[in-house]
């Protein structure tokens, strides 16, 4: 069986976890957390990167920092993971879903402006498959309307748009280091903060509403409860695992990109014949091969292909029941404009196995099976 995902492991994870234990500090913000945060800051150029317990909680924190509350509206795609929406729904905001582009499956930047009302507080672009949204356009719309931009860059670590790292372009960026992402710490994420002035409040929210971070730096002589917050910092054990991944980030990235390029090349014949649609990477974007997907003609063909691959020992999966048609999403938000591509993409898209260490033989076999399916 060729698995859909494989937990990334690079070799030094246990050594680093032992080191954390030996240092007698396994709670948050020790040596490994510090190193991981510095790596993100260096890669992205943001003022501050804070490791969090998940991308979901980084999104929660960004909603708190953006002061999103009841009566506010937030613009986001419906074709995304539930966490993008939960963060803002938790604060009582109304979700305004906008259609996606058929080439990148990212929010259609040309439809955003029409969805803005006097209640709109933020735009939340999601970089699907680690391929950047049209950020210049989105940032320009936000600037003209006085809105915040919160990037869901869960899938976008090591990707860039016009040379700028995803997650470091908007006011806030959110990364995921979940087991299924390119770089992992089991469960975990990071909040990227562009504006230096927002850092102190973010640190307070992350430390149960206290100014403990300042205390640890010796800036105040005792720490106290100053805001509403929670516990959003991950354990050093998780950060130690992540350290072993990011220090070989280029190696992981190259390995994934090699598999991605091979899929693309071997399936381009079917695309040329018009049987399937392959992903599009805009010229402005450098991606991280987070995912390789194809689009079949319709839901019947997509499901038949998933079954055929399964019978042949290959795990492939579909993606994202559109949020606006889910029980929670239909209650908590509205779809603005026409759903031309969101539901259509959900019905046609199929993700192929993609992970660090996927062998060339496996990629060849999967492509051969897909060609066999379409030859019948
Ligand atoms: C994985 C993912 C998340 C959630 O990440 P966690 O770290 O598991 O909370 C959020 N948004 C998108 C687009 C994702 O792919």
């Amino acid at each position: 069986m060729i698995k859909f995902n494989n937990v990334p492991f690079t070799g030094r994870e246990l050594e680093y976890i032992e080191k954390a234990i030996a240092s007698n500090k396994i709670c948050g913000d020790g040596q490994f957390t510090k190193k991981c945060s510095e790596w993100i800051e260096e890669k992205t150029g943001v003022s501050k990167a804070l490791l969090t317990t998940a991308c979901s909680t980084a999104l929660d924190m960004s909603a708190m920092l953006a002061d999103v509350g009841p009566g506010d509206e937030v613009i986001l795609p419906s074709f995304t993971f539930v966490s993008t929406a939960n963060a803002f729904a938790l604060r009582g905001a109304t979700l305004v879903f906008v259609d996606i582009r058929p080439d990148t499956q990212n929010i259609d930047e040309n439809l955003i402006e029409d969805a803005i009302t006097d209640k709109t507080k933020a735009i939340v672009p999601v970089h699907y498959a680690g391929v950047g949204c049209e950020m210049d356009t989105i940032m320009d719309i936000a600037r003209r309307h006085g809105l915040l931009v919160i990037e869901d860059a869960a899938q976008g670590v090591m990707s860039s748009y016009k040379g700028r790292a995803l997650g470091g372009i908007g006011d806030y960026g959110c990364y995921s280091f979940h087991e299924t992402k390119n770089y992992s710490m089991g469960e975990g994420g990071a909040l990227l903060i562009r504006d230096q002035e927002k850092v102190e409040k973010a640190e307070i929210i992350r430390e149960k509403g206290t100014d403990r971070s300042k205390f640890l730096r010796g800036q105040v002589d005792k720490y106290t409860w100053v805001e509403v917050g929670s516990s959003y910092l991950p354990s050093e054990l998780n950060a130690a695992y992540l350290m072993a991944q990011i220090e070989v980030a280029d190696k992981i990235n190259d390995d994934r990109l090699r598999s991605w390029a091979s899929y693309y090349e071997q399936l381009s014949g079917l695309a040329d014949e018009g049987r399937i649609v392959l992903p599009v990477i805009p010229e402005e974007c450098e991606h991280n091969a987070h995912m390789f997907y194809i689009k079949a003609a319709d839901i019947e063909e997509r499901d038949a292909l998933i079954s055929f691959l399964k019978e042949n020992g290959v795990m492939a999966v579909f993606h994202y029941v559109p949020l606006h048609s889910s029980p929670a999403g239909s209650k908590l938000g509205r779809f603005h404009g026409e759903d031309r591509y969101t539901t259509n993409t959900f019905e046609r898209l199929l993700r192929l196995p993609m992970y660090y260490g996927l062998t060339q033989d496996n990629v060849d076999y999967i492509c051969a099976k897909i060609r066999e399916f379409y030859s019948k």
Side-chain angles (χ1 to χ4, degrees):
M1 190 61 141
I2 304 176
K3 286 178 287 185
F4 174 70
N5 182 50
N6 199 31
V7 176
F9 184 81
T10 65
R12 302 189 78 171
E13 285 83 353
L14 291 171
E15 179 190 329
Y16 290 162
I17 288 169
E18 275 178 15
K19 223 168 155 180
I21 296 167
S23 75
N24 203 30
K25 181 164 173 73
I26 58 170
C27 68
D29 282 337
Q31 53 175 332
F32 290 106
T33 301
K34 192 158 172 276
K35 280 185 196 153
C36 292
S37 313
E38 283 168 0
W39 181 84
I40 298 170
E41 287 158 10
E42 208 170 283
K43 282 268 167 201
T44 61
V46 293
S47 298
K48 192 80 191 170
L50 296 171
L51 283 199
T52 57
T53 47
C55 179
S56 303
T57 48
L59 285 160
D60 292 349
M61 285 180 68
S62 70
M64 293 169 84
L65 287 160
D67 249 329
V68 169
D72 292 335
E73 293 180 355
V74 172
I75 295 172
L76 71 165
S78 172
F79 188 72
T80 183
F81 188 58
V82 295
S83 298
T84 323
N86 265 324
F88 303 96
L90 267 168
R91 315 234 61 81
T94 299
L95 309 169
V96 178
F97 300 112
V98 166
D99 208 11
I100 53 170
R101 294 166 37 154
D103 56 350
T104 57
Q105 334 312 321
N106 282 334
I107 191 166
D108 188 335
E109 65 279 2
N110 296 314
L111 301 176
I112 292 173
E113 203 146 15
D114 194 55
I116 294 172
T117 70
D118 53 8
K119 295 177 181 156
T120 308
K121 194 93 183 221
I123 305 170
V124 189
V126 179
H127 305 298
Y128 187 71
V131 179
C133 296
E134 186 19 60
M135 289 307 289
D136 275 354
T137 308
I138 292 171
M139 294 307 290
D140 179 60
I141 294 168
R143 210 172 300 122
R144 283 189 285 108
H145 292 270
L147 308 176
L148 290 165
V149 174
I150 298 164
E151 297 177 72
D152 182 339
Q155 304 173 11
V157 182
M158 293 281 282
S159 290
S160 62
Y161 165 87
K162 295 190 180 173
R164 283 172 284 160
L166 300 189
I169 303 169
D171 299 278
Y172 301 104
C174 303
Y175 279 172
S176 175
F177 299 116
H178 184 260
E179 170 184 303
T180 53
K181 300 302 199 286
N182 293 26
Y183 310 93
S184 184
M185 54 197 281
E187 300 274 359
L191 174 65
L192 283 62
I193 304 160
R194 202 184 54 188
D195 183 356
Q196 182 61 42
E197 282 179 18
K198 301 290 182 191
V199 172
E200 190 177 323
K201 186 167 178 193
E203 287 180 336
I204 288 167
I205 289 174
R206 180 169 168 270
E207 271 278 21
K208 301 104 182 165
T210 71
D211 53 1
R212 186 162 181 271
S213 297
K214 261 179 140 176
F215 170 73
L216 293 174
R217 282 194 297 265
Q219 292 165 334
V220 286
D221 57 10
K222 59 179 187 292
Y223 75 90
T224 185
W225 186 29
V226 288
E227 296 254 7
V228 172
S230 191
S231 180
Y232 294 121
L233 67 170
S235 144
E236 269 292 285
L237 301 176
N238 299 60
Y241 195 101
L242 181 63
M243 190 66 229
Q245 311 255 303
I246 58 179
E247 68 183 8
V248 291
D250 287 319
K251 189 175 160 198
I252 293 177
N253 202 38
D254 291 348
D255 181 84
R256 298 182 74 111
L257 284 166
R258 210 176 313 119
S259 297
W260 197 98
S262 185
Y263 271 132
Y264 193 92
E265 193 199 320
Q266 296 191 61
L267 296 174
S268 58
L270 284 175
D272 293 343
E273 291 165 24
R275 307 297 301 272
I276 61 169
V277 174
L278 294 177
V280 172
I281 312 294
E283 222 175 286
E284 303 78 36
C285 298
E286 242 180 88
H287 74 114
N288 59 0
H290 172 63
M291 176 191 312
F292 194 89
Y293 64 82
I294 61 174
K295 282 201 229 177
D298 53 33
I299 193 165
E300 286 78 25
E301 186 179 290
R302 196 268 317 263
D303 288 347
L305 179 53
I306 289 179
S307 302
F308 177 79
L309 289 173
K310 197 171 175 194
E311 284 157 25
N312 287 281
V314 177
M315 280 295 292
V317 299
F318 62 82
H319 221 180
Y320 295 151
V321 175
L323 295 184
H324 75 281
S325 47
S326 68
S330 55
K331 208 167 54 192
L332 298 165
R334 61 170 188 273
F335 197 98
H336 181 87
E338 195 192 338
D339 171 9
R340 286 182 70 194
Y341 297 113
T342 298
T343 301
N344 179 273
T345 297
F346 153 66
E347 290 178 347
R348 296 171 56 196
L349 191 136
L350 163 72
R351 302 173 63 188
L352 301 177
M354 173 58 80
Y355 50 83
Y356 173 58
L358 178 64
T359 66
Q360 184 63 50
D361 282 354
N362 281 347
V363 175
D364 294 348
Y365 174 80
I366 294 162
C367 292
K369 284 296 163 194
I370 293 171
R371 286 195 302 265
E372 185 185 324
F373 175 83
Y374 279 104
S375 69
K376 289 194 287 206

